[in-house]
Amino acid sequence: MVTERMVEEFGTEDLLGLLQELFGLPADTLAPTTTFDEIGLDSLALMELGAVLEERTGVELGSRLDQIPRSEPMDQVAQTIAGLLPR
């Protein structure tokens, strides 16, 4: 679960844990270099991820997550998300 600490320090492990929680993905299929394409998550899944992050953090992410390429590795995705969250 994304906590206040995670809003301040959101990272790759937080993203991977959230993906496991939301989509039931096994931990052994997720790594910092894994992409959304590799695990079969589409733009609808990104919208769901964005909605959950908005709900838990109170930060409106809008369509910014939809603009993240599905071929981008999770460590880059986590950095992008972290950049959208307040410090």
Side-chain angles (χ1 to χ4, degrees):
M1 177 155 182
V2 177
T3 65
E4 187 174 319
R5 180 205 61 81
M6 289 178 181
V7 170
E8 295 174 4
E9 303 172 15
F10 190 86
T12 305
E13 292 302 315
D14 300 310
L15 176 60
L16 298 180
L18 193 53
L19 292 172
Q20 283 182 275
E21 176 188 336
L22 291 178
F23 305 110
L25 298 168
D28 63 353
T29 63
L30 298 170
T33 57
T34 303
T35 67
F36 287 119
D37 281 339
E38 291 173 341
I39 55 177
L41 296 183
D42 58 13
S43 57
L44 185 59
L46 281 176
M47 285 178 23
E48 185 176 345
L49 175 63
V52 169
L53 283 168
E54 284 182 19
E55 178 183 303
R56 293 184 182 182
T57 65
V59 176
E60 290 187 36
L61 299 173
S63 63
R64 292 182 272 185
L65 288 185
D66 295 338
Q67 297 170 8
I68 296 173
R70 290 192 306 270
S71 60
E72 196 164 284
M74 293 299 159
D75 56 355
Q76 286 297 118
V77 173
Q79 285 181 8
T80 299
I81 293 170
L84 298 173
L85 299 175
R87 296 277 171 208

